[in-house]
Amino acid sequence: MILGLDLSTTCSGITILDDSGKIILCDAMMLSKYKDFYAKVSYVQDYLAKVRVEYPEITHIYIEKSLQMFAPGRSSARTIDLLSRFNATITWICYIIFQIKPEHLAAGSARKSAGITIKRGMKAKKIVIAHLIDTEPDFEVEYTIHGNPRPREFDRADSLIIAKAGLVNVNKEKEKNSSGSAR
């Protein structure tokens, strides 16, 4: 099983896929109600501990890489620092809880692996949701009364893309190992 995480201090997405790519869990952890960094981390740690008990078959963990550079109008040095610390802390917690070394994937690479292309100027999150609605029968989206996806849906979608990209990596590694051992 693959565990995919899209980490943010506001809302973090979590997806578990079985080895065939079927969605076992696709959820979001709402963290905005916790004002303190440590309270957010504790919540995620408790959630992941429950996941470990319920899904002991998890063999791989993939986490979206934290933002590495400024995005005009969206990030500040403070934000990048906070997200980087949060990502590193949750990565360590994953290792402690699951005894698996998490791997980090860039969002763009994960989308490309899932067959999603984002053209310059387009809103990536909306394209990801639309792609998943079209291609994943088990991915359901909750909408606001105005017909827009609830904000948590974008984090769920991103965690699903990370998990799918992780599954592609796992399958490539299996294929490489089996073809290497056949020689």
Side-chain angles (χ1 to χ4, degrees):
M1 288 185 151
I2 307 289
L3 171 62
L5 294 169
D6 171 48
L7 298 174
S8 168
T9 56
T10 306
C11 179
S12 291
I14 179 170
T15 295
I16 298 173
L17 299 178
D18 70 11
D19 293 341
S20 70
K22 182 179 182 324
I23 298 170
I24 304 302
L25 172 74
C26 190
D27 196 10
M29 297 173 271
M30 300 306 296
L31 304 173
S32 56
K33 60 186 170 190
Y34 302 103
K35 301 304 177 202
D36 177 69
F37 178 86
Y38 297 101
K40 293 172 190 280
V41 167
S42 291
Y43 180 86
V44 174
Q45 181 177 7
D46 291 346
Y47 191 106
L48 291 172
K50 289 174 189 168
V51 165
R52 175 69 174 114
V53 169
E54 196 166 338
Y55 305 101
E57 306 89 0
I58 292 171
T59 56
H60 296 82
I61 301 172
Y62 290 88
I63 300 173
E64 184 178 303
K65 271 187 185 175
S66 60
L67 196 58
Q68 300 294 308
M69 61 185 163
F70 293 104
R74 288 190 7 220
S75 61
S76 65
R78 184 177 181 196
T79 300
I80 291 173
D81 175 59
L82 176 64
L83 291 174
S84 184
R85 286 187 298 124
F86 189 72
N87 191 301
T89 303
I90 300 305
T91 297
W92 178 248
I93 286 170
C94 284
Y95 177 72
I96 296 299
I97 290 174
F98 294 93
Q99 293 297 295
I100 297 169
K101 292 179 183 175
E103 295 182 48
H104 292 86
L105 298 173
S109 300
R111 287 187 209 113
K112 186 176 179 182
S113 175
I116 302 171
T117 305
I118 310 294
K119 293 180 180 149
R120 189 176 296 272
M122 298 180 85
K123 299 206 180 272
K125 293 197 177 280
K126 287 186 178 185
I127 292 170
V128 167
I129 290 263
H131 174 81
L132 290 173
I133 289 170
D134 291 344
T135 61
E136 268 305 321
D138 293 333
F139 183 75
E140 296 179 4
V141 177
E142 288 183 27
Y143 295 91
T144 66
I145 59 172
H146 302 294
N148 299 314
R150 293 194 179 281
R152 70 188 300 274
E153 301 303 329
F154 297 109
D155 300 290
R156 290 179 59 242
D158 287 345
S159 71
L160 177 53
I161 293 298
I162 292 296
K164 286 173 142 306
L167 183 59
V168 167
N169 287 357
V170 167
N171 288 336
K172 281 182 184 175
E173 191 62 32
K174 283 180 186 174
E175 189 177 298
K176 182 176 131 185
N177 290 338
S178 68
S179 66
S181 63
R183 291 181 183 184

